[in-house]
Amino acid sequence: MGSVVSSAKINARSMDRHEKSGFGSNKRVKISTYECDSFQRIIPTLPDELSFQILARLPRLYYLKLKLVSQAWKVAITSSELSQLRRELGLTEEWLYVLTKLERNKLDCYALDPLFRKWQRLPPMPSFVSEEESTGRTQSSWFQMWNVVGSSIRIADFIKGWFRRRYGLDQMPFCGCSVGVADGCLYVFGGFSRAVALNCVFRYNPCLNVWQEVSPMISGRAFSKAALLQSKLYVVGGVSRGRNGLLPLRSGEVFDPKTGIWSELPEMPFMKAQVLPTAFLADVLKPIATGMASYKGKLQAGTKLGIVVNEELYTLEPSSSLDSGQIKRYDSEQDTWKTIVPQVPVHDFTDAEAPFLLAGLHGKVHVITKEANNNLQVIQAVLQNNIENSPSEENIIWNILASKNFGSAELVSCQVLDV
């Protein structure tokens, strides 16, 4: 009954999808068999099927260290069989992934386990060099894909800052990636590398704890919008480099994570885009760089930072001074936004690209913000006495889920993975 996990020269056979194990209510497909010259079981005194049942019930937080026990444990913990078993048993865990940018233009990724309130740092993303840079004036200039500017209400201010210092587009750092999730993995799409709109795509697999480069997009694009709809990732709009400036894109494309294939979408039905001088860059990117969400079976895009939680569309609308904001929920029947949290304690950072972020975690709306003392906080509003029809500051308590000092790092983007 027990299968075998190899410690050397491992070759996985295909899984027998029909043979069942004898675990009563926990019936599932049989774990794959591993073939090798010499072998060892995951736990020597137990069949591997039972060992997988034990590992599946351990919190994910421990997996990083458990992989160090032996090669057999590492293979088992990073296997698709373990992930599948956790899903079948309803033991997946939602973790919050936060992307931050350091002053030296380096992107760091951190994962938060909300149950234990512990942070884990992700491995660095791969480095790359664009083709045009390797053959042109910047032949010796290598870029690391760190300085990712995600969907943010402050992108316009970020771009304006560059042009105030009289930098041209050719001298801009890497920026303008979009971020999405599919099949329990984190994806980073495109962006600008100096004057080049990139089509590269990187994927983070939390089970393997590695970044991998996957099939590139059909078109290079920066400041595009990305969202998941019917198990496929849609990346639309954005800008590319034209002869005399930036060219807003009407095109879009869709990625199938199962096949790794990109397909073109029909162009969006707005007036044909014209090449715009870089002086209009900030005004162009402000509506382009906001997020996109899958809502009621359709892709919804707008000029507000929004997320969908429990099939409800929420947004955080900042005040004019960007030192506070309101959380609103969309009423699709009346086509109006209803304020459910009138005052969100966010702080304005003049040079920050994203003073705050939104995340849907465990069916609740959470706000990620950075305090003046450099502490990043993940907070949730709790309405007292369930007064939702007429909320006020007095009947709202803010619970701090987790906090961490990120030093001078700025918020860029966040996503939630259920693994």
Side-chain angles (χ1 to χ4, degrees):
M1 176 69 87
S3 56
V4 179
V5 177
S6 170
S7 61
K9 299 183 180 179
I10 301 167
N11 294 310
R13 294 178 181 172
S14 61
M15 182 184 296
D16 183 351
R17 300 289 178 179
H18 305 288
E19 184 174 350
K20 302 287 183 178
S21 62
F23 279 89
S25 60
N26 292 332
K27 291 183 178 180
R28 61 181 298 273
V29 294
K30 184 179 179 181
I31 299 299
S32 294
T33 303
Y34 295 86
E35 184 179 288
C36 57
D37 296 337
S38 60
F39 63 86
Q40 66 180 69
R41 288 182 171 178
I42 303 172
I43 301 176
T45 57
L46 296 177
D48 282 351
E49 181 104 1
L50 183 56
S51 297
F52 269 99
Q53 292 280 340
I54 295 173
L55 291 176
R57 288 164 169 79
L58 295 177
R60 275 186 60 203
L61 184 69
Y62 299 141
Y63 284 179
L64 197 60
K65 292 184 178 180
L66 290 177
K67 288 192 296 185
L68 303 177
V69 172
S70 68
Q71 179 68 16
W73 281 58
K74 181 179 180 180
V75 170
I77 289 173
T78 58
S79 67
S80 59
E81 287 83 3
L82 183 61
S83 298
Q84 178 185 342
L85 178 56
R86 287 173 62 87
R87 289 192 296 270
E88 292 175 0
L89 298 177
L91 297 174
T92 57
E93 302 174 31
E94 285 189 355
W95 281 25
L96 176 67
Y97 290 78
V98 179
L99 286 70
T100 65
K101 189 191 72 175
L102 299 175
E103 290 181 354
R104 61 182 182 272
N105 296 333
K106 176 182 178 182
L107 181 74
D108 278 336
C109 305
Y110 294 87
L112 170 66
D113 178 351
L115 179 62
F116 291 93
R117 303 189 178 188
K118 297 290 186 181
W119 294 88
Q120 285 187 355
R121 186 172 181 175
L122 273 61
M125 296 174 66
S127 60
F128 74 97
V129 61
S130 70
E131 182 177 350
E132 292 191 28
E133 288 177 276
S134 64
T135 58
R137 290 174 300 174
T138 55
Q139 184 173 6
S140 62
S141 176
W142 282 83
F143 273 83
Q144 286 189 320
M145 197 172 179
W146 301 117
N147 185 23
V148 180
V149 180
S151 298
S152 162
I153 62 168
R154 300 303 301 278
I155 287 181
D157 295 335
F158 170 77
I159 300 298
K160 286 178 181 177
W162 278 93
F163 283 99
R164 279 197 213 100
R165 294 190 289 270
R166 296 183 179 179
Y167 289 136
L169 188 61
D170 291 348
Q171 294 177 287
M172 287 180 61
F174 185 89
C175 61
C177 278
S178 55
V179 183
V181 295
D183 288 344
C185 293
L186 182 71
Y187 288 81
V188 179
F189 305 99
F192 264 128
S193 178
R194 297 193 187 271
V196 183
L198 303 174
N199 64 349
C200 58
V201 181
F202 288 88
R203 177 181 63 199
Y204 172 73
N205 186 324
C207 296
L208 301 177
N209 193 35
V210 296
W211 288 94
Q212 299 169 316
E213 187 171 6
V214 296
S215 302
M217 294 184 291
I218 299 171
S219 302
R221 62 185 73 229
F223 299 104
S224 58
K225 305 182 187 202
L228 182 70
L229 179 64
Q230 296 178 351
S231 301
K232 295 183 179 181
L233 280 164
Y234 288 75
V235 182
V236 301
V239 294
S240 67
R241 180 71 184 274
R243 177 176 296 181
N244 299 315
L246 292 176
L247 178 64
L249 298 173
R250 296 191 300 165
S251 64
E253 42 197 299
V254 57
F255 178 71
D256 187 340
K258 298 187 182 303
T259 63
I261 297 176
W262 287 92
S263 303
E264 290 184 295
L265 296 172
E267 290 192 345
M268 291 180 285
F270 58 77
M271 184 178 298
K272 186 175 181 179
Q274 302 292 327
V275 175
L276 298 176
T278 53
F280 294 98
L281 179 62
D283 294 330
V284 170
L285 293 184
K286 188 171 183 179
I288 290 176
T290 51
M292 180 171 66
S294 175
Y295 177 61
K296 293 186 179 297
K298 298 181 180 179
L299 295 176
Q300 305 286 342
T303 57
K304 298 178 181 179
L305 178 65
I307 59 169
V308 175
V309 181
N310 293 334
E311 300 183 354
E312 297 282 356
L313 181 61
Y314 295 87
T315 184
L316 198 161
E317 188 173 283
S319 66
S320 57
S321 61
L322 287 178
D323 59 358
S324 64
Q326 295 181 336
I327 294 180
K328 297 184 177 182
R329 184 176 59 213
Y330 181 65
D331 187 332
S332 59
E333 294 183 357
Q334 299 184 10
D335 192 24
T336 58
W337 290 92
K338 177 182 178 181
T339 300
I340 59 172
V341 179
Q343 187 76 15
V344 180
V346 296
H347 296 269
D348 177 25
F349 293 91
T350 303
D351 297 326
E353 290 140 16
F356 48 79
L357 300 168
L358 281 182
L361 193 61
H362 293 160
K364 303 291 184 181
V365 178
H366 290 73
V367 180
I368 298 93
T369 184
K370 187 178 177 184
E371 300 294 301
N373 60 1
N374 289 329
N375 273 341
L376 181 147
Q377 288 191 338
V378 182
I379 57 178
Q380 176 198 349
V382 178
L383 301 180
Q384 298 298 298
N385 303 320
N386 294 321
I387 305 177
E388 189 174 307
N389 293 327
S390 57
S392 64
E393 295 182 48
E394 290 74 20
N395 57 39
I396 293 177
I397 296 179
W398 287 94
N399 286 343
I400 300 177
L401 175 65
S403 65
K404 180 178 176 63
N405 192 308
F406 282 79
S408 59
E410 302 171 3
L411 291 175
V412 173
S413 182
C414 70
Q415 295 287 343
V416 173
L417 295 181
D418 187 16
V419 180

